[in-house]
Amino acid sequence: MKQEVTTPKPSLLRRLFSWIAQPHVAYAVAALIVGMSFIAITPPFHGPDEDAHFLRAYQLATGKLKLVTAQKLGRLGAELPSAVPDMVEQTVQDNPIRGYPSKKYNHWHTKAELKNTIDTPQERQSVWVDTTNTYVYNPVLYLPAAAAIAVVHWLGGSPLVALYAARVVSLVAIVMLFAVAVRLAPRRKWAFAAVLLVPMLLFQNAVVSVDGLSFAVTALFASYVMRLREQRTVHKGQWLLLALAAVALAIVKLPLVLAAALAFTLIRGRRHILPVISIVVVALAVFAGQYILLNRLHPTVRMNGPSEANQQVQIDKLAHDPFEFLRVTHNTYMNQFGDGQTVGVLGVFGTADTALPMWLYGVLLLVLGLLVCTGAEKTRPLRMWQTIGLLIIGVVYFMAVNGAMYLTYTPTSFSTFYGVQGRYFLPLLIVLPLYMSPLLHISPQQEHKRNRVLIGALLCAIAVVLFVVFQRYYLYTP
């Protein structure tokens, strides 16, 4: 009689390791650890426009949706307990370090404000605070932060505790969305996950902002499109889901609606043309409707920026000389002035503009380049017109970002773009590994070894990034 051979069950530790070794899980674990580290070392309101975003989220957390018009023409804001803007002033405005590399953040401000709850009638008294720069963003983008603030406010916690709670909840929500995007990706999951670990993107996920959620929606849409491309047929329910994702793109940061055009890569025959065009048209209609509504509700609002910026003057200059925009583009990106925008895609952190050593930018670029340009899996080949279309989408997005800053933020006397930041171009980097086939094909065994070495190197480089940021705020700066 033959004895049955039983295979021993793997240990709990081995099963846990196998689960973490999945690309989407590995990304989530790494992104949460790094994100929590950024939350811990980044002083309050040192994210881009974090004070305005926090104040807007706090307003929504108290149940007030509509922005309040100020007596001063063209300004919008919120009415909040006086303790909230006082906390902002104590933690960041009274401790400026931008432009002073040798000056460090006084963490005693943070420790004191963590215990400063809203107790006295004077602290509860409502005051108007300026949040004009947030009026272009859909309130939905503030839901994770507002939910966390509402809980802290209800429990009687201090406004600064509410800030850190908003950071943590927003981080978790954003990372989970990115993890879903990695899971949805049909191929090249590790390259996609690695790109989502770019330090600048991890930093944006860890502060109160609309960027992280906007970028996560973009990643979800692009990943879902690629998943549908792998199928023989796309069902009605999937078209509807894609349309909803396109609408989500239209209500996040305005230029990202261009990503809806990625749906054109789904066209493989005449039967696909109508649903694809319908999805893009719906997204553009929602975008246009939102833009028109904003202009009708707030026709005289002017966002914060240099006093010399004047949209009408810039439009008149372009009407008189259409090549002016190309000259400004050349002046910005063909000399050292544009270096800040270029390296900012990988990381220039916080209001202190903490830059990394050039060797570290080189390491990050090398590691990410090897992960994106090599692989065992090829993406489904695009037709020539689709490839050209993707390039056009990228160029249009690049020009749209620069054009928006040229019209609304650049002083009229400048011959370069002013205010453009590298983080604005992160969506281009996010979708790259999904649509780009490896330039160098390697075997699955080689890819497995590549992942272990390069992902490990990337995580080590990120650890150095965290130290550089920590050093800028709290340690000696050479």
Side-chain angles (χ1 to χ4, degrees), residues 12-147:
L12 179 62
L13 186 62
R14 183 176 291 276
R15 280 183 288 169
L16 179 63
F17 179 79
S18 299
W19 179 69
I20 295 177
Q22 299 175 91
H24 65 285
V25 179
Y27 161 76
V29 171
L32 287 174
I33 292 174
V34 177
M36 291 296 182
S37 301
F38 271 126
I39 289 174
I41 67 177
T42 304
F45 310 109
H46 273 251
D49 298 321
E50 190 175 19
D51 52 349
H53 290 302
F54 172 74
L55 294 172
R56 175 60 168 149
Y58 207 108
Q59 181 198 26
L60 296 171
T62 58
K64 300 174 183 177
L65 179 64
K66 187 178 179 181
L67 290 166
V68 181
T69 305
Q71 293 181 351
K72 183 180 178 182
L73 185 65
R75 309 308 299 165
L76 295 171
E79 290 184 348
L80 299 174
S82 62
V84 178
D86 287 347
M87 179 270 295
V88 176
E89 186 174 351
Q90 288 292 326
T91 53
V92 62
Q93 295 176 7
D94 284 354
N95 189 29
I97 64 174
R98 186 175 187 175
Y100 304 95
S102 61
K103 190 173 182 180
K104 302 300 167 184
Y105 181 78
N106 187 349
H107 64 279
W108 292 106
H109 286 288
T110 302
K111 289 186 176 181
E113 287 296 329
L114 284 172
K115 302 176 183 178
N116 192 6
T117 57
I118 305 175
D119 297 322
T120 66
Q122 184 179 0
E123 290 176 330
R124 295 191 186 97
Q125 184 178 359
S126 293
V127 297
W128 182 88
V129 291
D130 193 336
T131 61
T132 303
N133 281 13
T134 66
Y135 90 99
V136 297
Y137 301 123
N138 195 296
V140 173
L141 294 171
Y142 294 102
L143 281 180

Side-chain angles (χ1 to χ4, degrees), residues 320-342:
H320 181 264
D321 182 7
F323 291 100
E324 170 68 13
F325 187 78
L326 294 178
R327 278 194 293 270
V328 175
T329 303
H330 177 272
N331 293 342
T332 303
Y333 294 102
M334 295 304 291
N335 60 49
Q336 294 180 346
F337 182 84
D339 289 349
Q341 290 93 313
T342 304

Side-chain angles (χ1 to χ4, degrees), residues 411-423:
T412 56
S413 61
F414 278 33
S415 59
T416 56
F417 296 124
Y418 183 71
V420 179
Q421 299 180 34
R423 61 189 171 93

